Amino acid sequence: MSITASSLYRETRNFFRHQLLTIVLMSLLIAFITVILVHAFTPGGEQLAQFEQSDLSASSLFELVQNMSPEQQSILLCASAAGTFSALIGNTLLLGGMLYLIPTVSDGQRVSALRAIGASAPLLPKLLLQTFLITMVVQLGFMVLIVPGVMLAILLSLSPVILASEKRGVLGAMRDSCHLAWKNLRRIAPAIVLWMLAKMVLLLVSSSLSALAIAVTAIGNLISALLIIYLFRLYMLAR
């Protein structure tokens, strides 16, 4: 069966439209959890206020961190860890919920957002570990150059789908993803690049709209949900 990007986009759009309410509710719920976790683990206002005493005239981020006191560096580390951990939990919950929702709805069953997330609980530990590994590997790729980071994101993009569909191990799913994604590079690459650009735009917007953190995070979740639907359908046709 011939697989075309246009047919995949059309099927993704149709599924998203028919399950819009469930996906929106799931995105909002996970966004709320993510923001709550950020606030729970981020240092308090008094600690963050210490950054006002930092030397902001540094010419680079590395120099800025060097000029900080040990206490300020510790606070920065805690704030960064809180954001990373919260995003990791949010992404894992979204992956688990969507990877349960898509096949269940495709089988003709109705499922709520809360049930989809809850039913994915047995898979979440593996998904959490895999999401952490993928994030770490892709970030290392971006630290070298932009292109390696993008390529790694493309090659590993099918890992969660394989993990959920084939009951494979974390590393086995990542290895299989590299092989299959390479064969379907022309179909996967545009979707991943568009997703990255959309997330970058949201990141820029969120920096100036901190009061709307839940809404911005929910929009990001909706964009990621679209990508998950696309990749799931692609895997079902290409495997």
Side-chain angles (χ1 to χ4, degrees):
M1 177 180 179
S2 176
I3 306 173
T4 62
S6 59
S7 65
L8 287 170
Y9 289 135
R10 183 171 59 254
E11 292 177 14
T12 299
R13 184 175 63 251
N14 289 338
F15 184 93
F16 185 82
R17 186 176 69 249
H18 291 144
Q19 299 298 320
L20 181 61
L21 179 59
T22 302
I23 296 174
V24 168
L25 289 175
M26 184 185 299
S27 299
L28 283 170
L29 176 60
I30 294 173
F32 180 76
I33 294 172
T34 303
V35 172
I36 289 297
L37 287 174
V38 170
H39 284 288
F41 292 107
T42 300
E46 294 182 0
Q47 291 178 305
L48 292 177
Q50 293 187 30
F51 283 106
E52 297 179 1
Q53 304 172 10
S54 301
D55 181 11
L56 300 179
S57 62
S59 59
S60 67
L61 179 60
F62 181 73
E63 184 180 346
L64 177 63
V65 174
Q66 275 192 323
N67 292 338
M68 290 180 181
S69 66
E71 292 78 14
Q72 291 171 332
Q73 291 177 356
S74 177
I75 294 170
L76 177 62
L77 179 62
C78 290
S80 301
T84 302
F85 174 76
S86 302
L88 184 64
I89 295 296
N91 291 336
T92 301
L93 290 175
L94 182 64
L95 278 168
M98 289 301 299
L99 291 175
Y100 179 85
L101 174 71
I102 297 170
T104 303
V105 171
S106 299
D107 289 340
Q109 303 178 43
R110 298 184 63 180
V111 59
S112 66
L114 192 58
R115 182 190 166 195
I117 296 173
S120 68
L123 184 64
L124 292 182
K126 286 186 176 181
L127 268 179
L128 179 62
L129 175 59
Q130 188 183 75
T131 304
F132 171 76
L133 291 175
I134 293 174
T135 302
M136 183 176 63
V137 170
V138 172
Q139 289 299 325
L140 288 173
F142 276 113
M143 288 175 64
V144 178
L145 282 174
I146 294 178
V147 174
V150 174
M151 280 302 301
L152 286 168
I154 294 170
L155 293 176
L156 295 170
S157 60
L158 295 173
S159 301
V161 180
I162 296 173
L163 180 69
S165 302
E166 306 298 337
K167 310 304 180 185
R168 295 296 306 275
V170 172
L171 297 180
M174 293 171 68
R175 182 175 60 252
D176 291 349
S177 175
C178 291
H179 293 307
L180 189 57
W182 180 256
K183 294 179 182 178
N184 294 275
L185 190 64
R186 295 176 60 182
R187 301 181 184 96
I188 296 177
I192 295 295
V193 171
L194 285 174
W195 173 75
M196 286 183 169
L197 291 174
K199 297 289 276 189
M200 287 176 61
V201 171
L202 274 178
L203 184 62
L204 294 174
V205 171
S206 64
S207 62
S208 57
L209 294 175
S210 57
L212 301 175
I214 293 180
V216 174
T217 305
I219 293 172
N221 289 340
L222 286 173
I223 295 171
S224 295
L226 276 168
L227 179 64
I228 296 169
I229 297 168
Y230 179 87
L231 293 174
F232 189 95
R233 183 55 180 163
L234 171 62
Y235 177 71
M236 290 296 107
L237 295 175
R239 63 178 178 174

